[in-house]
Amino acid sequence: MNKRQQGIALPIMLIMLTVMMVSGIYLIKSSTSSALTTANLAYDSALAKAADAGLHAGFAYLRTVANKADLDTNQAAHGYVATLTSTWTVSTPAFWTGSVTMAANAAGDRVEYVIHRMCDFPGPYNGNNCIKTSARPDAPTPVAFGSSLALGSARYATQPQLHYVVTARINGPRGGNVVTQAVVLKGP
C-alpha cells in the first residue's frame, strides 16, 4: 500500500522562515535608525557647544568695554548694535546686520554672533526706550522691582542695568543649524 504522503511541515517552515527574515530585516533597520539618531544628537550637541563660543565672545566684549559711552553707538568690529527692533527675530536677515563671524574652529565650523542693546535708538539710555532693570533686587527705588517697563517709566534711585542680547549661530556642514542667545545685564 503506497499512499501519497501529504505533509504540512514544509509550508509551515517556509512561513516561519519568512517571518524570521522580515523580523531580522526590521531589527537591522531599527538598529541603524538608532545609531543615526544617536549620531545626530551628538552632532547637534557639538554644534551647540561650538555656538557657545559666540556667546562667550559677546559677553567678553561687554565685560571689557572701558568707556561705557562706546555702547551708545554701533561697534561693527565687535559685532555690537546699539538698538534692537522688537519685530525682528533671528530669522530676519536684518537681525544679523553688524554681526561678526569668528575664525573656524577645529571642526571647520564658523560661528557668527551679534550683540544688541535692547533700546529703540542709538545714544544714551536716558530718554531712550531701553529695557532696564534695577541694579539689584534690594536696590532702593521709588517703585517696585520689575516695574521698569511701566507706562510712567520708573525713576531709579541708582543707575539701572541695561539689557543686552548676545545671539550666536552656527551652520554645520551637514545642514544642522543652532542658534543660542543670552541676556546680559550691565550698568550704563
Side-chain angles (χ1 to χ4, degrees):
M1 223 173 188
N2 204 359
K3 285 187 176 181
R4 288 182 55 161
Q5 293 183 351
Q6 294 181 352
I8 194 158
L10 182 61
I12 289 176
M13 287 307 293
L14 289 175
I15 291 171
M16 288 177 61
L17 284 173
T18 304
V19 169
M20 288 174 58
M21 183 179 68
V22 169
S23 297
I25 291 171
Y26 175 76
L27 286 173
I28 290 171
K29 189 174 182 176
S30 176
S31 65
T32 303
S33 296
S34 296
L36 287 174
T37 301
T38 303
N40 285 339
L41 289 172
Y43 174 68
D44 285 346
S45 177
L47 285 180
K49 287 179 183 175
D52 284 348
L55 296 181
H56 289 290
F59 178 74
Y61 170 70
L62 288 173
R63 188 181 61 206
T64 59
V65 171
N67 183 4
K68 290 183 182 178
D70 289 344
L71 297 177
D72 291 343
T73 59
N74 296 344
Q75 305 291 322
H78 301 288
Y80 177 77
V81 180
T83 62
L84 178 61
T85 303
S86 61
T87 57
W88 288 351
T89 66
V90 295
S91 300
T92 307
F95 183 91
W96 296 97
T97 301
S99 66
V100 170
T101 302
M102 300 172 64
N105 62 12
D109 300 324
R110 294 190 174 275
V111 177
E112 180 180 11
Y113 73 91
V114 65
I115 307 164
H116 287 103
R117 181 177 72 157
M118 296 184 75
C119 293
D120 287 344
F121 308 104
Y125 78 95
N126 292 335
N128 196 342
N129 189 20
C130 297
I131 305 295
K132 302 177 279 280
T133 299
S134 179
R136 50 182 200 281
D138 58 347
T141 63
V143 295
F145 175 68
S147 62
S148 62
L149 296 178
L151 259 150
S153 226
R155 291 175 303 170
Y156 295 96
T158 60
Q159 283 191 334
Q161 291 184 336
L162 300 179
H163 293 222
Y164 299 85
V165 178
V166 182
T167 308
R169 73 177 171 182
I170 185 169
N171 297 317
R174 294 192 290 171
N177 301 324
V178 174
V179 176
T180 57
Q181 289 185 312
V183 176
V184 178
L185 301 178
K186 181 176 176 69

